[in-house]
């Protein structure tokens, strides 16, 4: 039963020592790039008073969440590759599941709030200061973090109360709920299915809100008479739209891909894609066309 499990065995990238060291080097480079990019954005926004506006406040929170997501899984994978050991303690696995759910759902909620920020800025500019005052921004950011925290508590408490009797081998390089459920041998996993449906409804609701917001934004932008005005409006929305598309597309492919194309190696590559790419690329997306942010950095 689960009380006898003290550790889980994670999936190794390869059995070849040279390739393990190569994986360590690649992960280290990606991790340092994510730390540098997100760290620069956090420092620039915190230190430059010109960036103390709602859009950059939410961007600072996004960078903090990105750092959390990549720091939850990548350092452990780097240590495993370096020392050729693929175990994780029961407590460490629970902590990893909790942090990944917490940070991922909080980031998705924050991206929804950022869509609302862009909607108000473009569609209701005269009410921007009223609807997105400093107190309102703090409350919305706290709601995003709180939503992720509450979901993480419910999922983690439920998944680690399910009896596990099919060994301790996880077919992934980090602790993931679907892989842990495969070790269950009771009907208790149905509770997790119920929680997953509730979370999926929340995710779908956020996605619909983002889509509706951008439909309204594009309708307003296309009515702007000057080309320069349209370009400025699009330039403020495009980075967020790209980040949302990257985040949603990688998660959808990871969790909704057909079982017929599923395999351990593909699952491994997809997990690397949605855990490593968004936190590393997001700072570049937000800063490449943002002169204010580049000047602050």
């Amino acid at each position: 039963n689960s009380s006898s499990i003290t550790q889980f065995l994670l999936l190794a990238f390869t059995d070849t020592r040279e390739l393990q060291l190569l994986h360590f080097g690649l992960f280290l480079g990606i991790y340092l790039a994510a730390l540098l990019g997100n760290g620069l954005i956090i420092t620039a926004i915190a230190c430059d008073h010109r960036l103390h506006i709602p859009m950059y406040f939410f961007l600072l929170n996004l960078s903090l969440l990105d750092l959390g997501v990549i720091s939850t899984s990548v350092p452990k994978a780097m240590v495993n590759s370096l020392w050729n050991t693929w175990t994780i303690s029961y407590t460490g696995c629970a902590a990893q599941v909790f942090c990944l759910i917490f940070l991922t759902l909080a980031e998705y909620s924050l991206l929804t709030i950022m869509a609302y920020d862009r909607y108000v800025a473009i569609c209701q500019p005269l009410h921007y200061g009223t609807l997105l005052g400093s107190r309102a921004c703090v409350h919305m950011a706290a709601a995003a973090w709180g939503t992720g925290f509450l979901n993480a508590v419910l999922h983690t408490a439920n998944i680690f109360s399910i009896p596990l009797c099919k060994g301790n081998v996880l077919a992934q390089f980090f602790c993931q709920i679907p892989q842990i459920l495969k070790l269950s041998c009771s009907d208790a996993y149905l509770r997790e299915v119920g929680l997953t449906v509730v979370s999926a409804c929340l995710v779908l609701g956020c996605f619909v809100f983002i889509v509706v917001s951008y439909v309204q934004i594009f309708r307003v932008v296309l009515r702007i008479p000057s080309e320069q005005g349209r370009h400025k409006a699009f330039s403020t929305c495009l980075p967020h739209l790209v980040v949302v598309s990257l985040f949603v597309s990688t998660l959808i492919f990871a969790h909704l891909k057909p079982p017929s194309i599923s395999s351990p190696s593909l699952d491994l590559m997809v997990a690397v894609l949605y855990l490593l790419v968004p936190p590393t690329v997001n700072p570049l997306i937000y800063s490449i066309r943002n002169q204010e942010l580049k000047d602050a950095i």
Side-chain angles (χ1 to χ4, degrees):
N1 57 33
S2 58
S3 62
S4 64
I5 296 178
T6 59
Q7 62 182 16
F8 291 95
L9 184 63
L10 301 174
L11 182 66
F13 288 106
T14 177
D15 294 328
T16 307
R17 186 59 185 151
E18 291 77 10
L19 291 178
Q20 288 177 350
L21 295 176
L22 177 62
H23 286 135
F24 169 78
L26 288 174
F27 272 40
L28 178 62
I30 293 171
Y31 185 56
L32 290 178
L35 287 181
L36 177 62
N38 288 288
L40 281 174
I41 286 182
I42 292 168
T43 305
I45 294 173
C47 296
D48 195 327
H49 68 277
R50 295 172 300 174
L51 302 183
H52 292 177
I53 60 175
M55 182 176 74
Y56 293 111
F57 170 73
F58 294 133
L59 180 56
L60 183 146
N61 278 267
L62 181 67
S63 293
L64 287 172
L65 289 168
D66 278 337
L67 282 180
V69 168
I70 200 167
S71 296
T72 299
S73 55
V74 173
K76 177 62 178 175
M78 288 164 51
V79 169
N80 288 345
S81 293
L82 184 63
W83 299 112
N84 192 24
T85 174
W86 296 94
T87 58
I88 185 171
S89 67
Y90 189 88
T91 306
C93 187
Q96 199 171 67
V97 167
F98 173 83
C99 289
L100 284 175
I101 297 173
F102 168 36
L103 296 167
T104 302
L105 283 177
E107 182 166 344
Y108 188 62
S109 301
L110 187 68
L111 289 172
T112 307
I113 293 169
M114 293 172 78
Y116 175 70
D117 169 66
R118 293 298 85 209
Y119 165 76
V120 175
I122 293 174
C123 301
Q124 301 181 19
L126 298 179
H127 300 283
Y128 189 77
T130 304
L131 296 174
L132 286 162
S134 57
R135 181 175 295 182
C137 290
V138 170
H139 287 168
M140 285 189 284
W145 288 80
T147 299
F149 181 82
L150 180 61
N151 274 274
V153 168
L154 293 175
H155 281 283
T156 306
N158 181 64
I159 196 69
F160 285 94
S161 66
I162 296 174
L164 306 177
C165 58
K166 294 183 180 178
N168 66 337
V169 180
L170 302 179
Q172 191 54 272
F173 73 94
F174 63 99
C175 286
Q176 191 181 44
I177 285 181
Q179 301 299 332
I180 298 174
L181 282 177
K182 291 179 181 179
L183 305 180
S184 171
C185 56
S186 74
D187 293 333
Y189 74 90
L190 292 175
R191 290 178 301 177
E192 180 59 28
V193 173
L195 285 173
T196 302
V197 170
V198 173
S199 297
C201 291
L202 174 65
V203 169
L204 181 61
C206 290
F207 181 73
V208 171
F209 182 87
I210 292 171
V211 171
V212 172
S213 297
Y214 271 100
V215 169
Q216 297 298 320
I217 288 171
F218 289 143
R219 287 177 60 187
V220 171
V221 170
L222 292 174
R223 291 198 198 111
I224 297 176
S226 69
E227 184 178 347
Q228 184 178 4
R230 289 196 299 271
H231 181 269
K232 184 177 180 181
F234 275 125
S235 65
T236 61
C237 295
L238 188 60
H240 177 256
L241 198 56
V242 172
V243 167
V244 169
S245 301
L246 180 66
F247 186 83
V248 172
S249 60
T250 53
L251 281 179
I252 287 177
F253 184 73
H255 295 99
L256 298 180
K257 64 181 183 297
S260 58
I261 66 170
S262 182
S263 67
S265 57
L266 179 62
D267 291 344
L268 205 63
M269 287 189 292
V270 171
V272 169
L273 183 67
Y274 77 80
L275 283 178
L276 272 67
V277 173
T280 308
V281 174
N282 286 354
L284 183 62
I285 294 173
Y286 271 104
S287 61
I288 194 168
R289 297 183 64 184
N290 190 320
Q291 193 59 44
E292 288 181 335
L293 192 56
K294 287 195 284 188
D295 290 342
I297 290 174

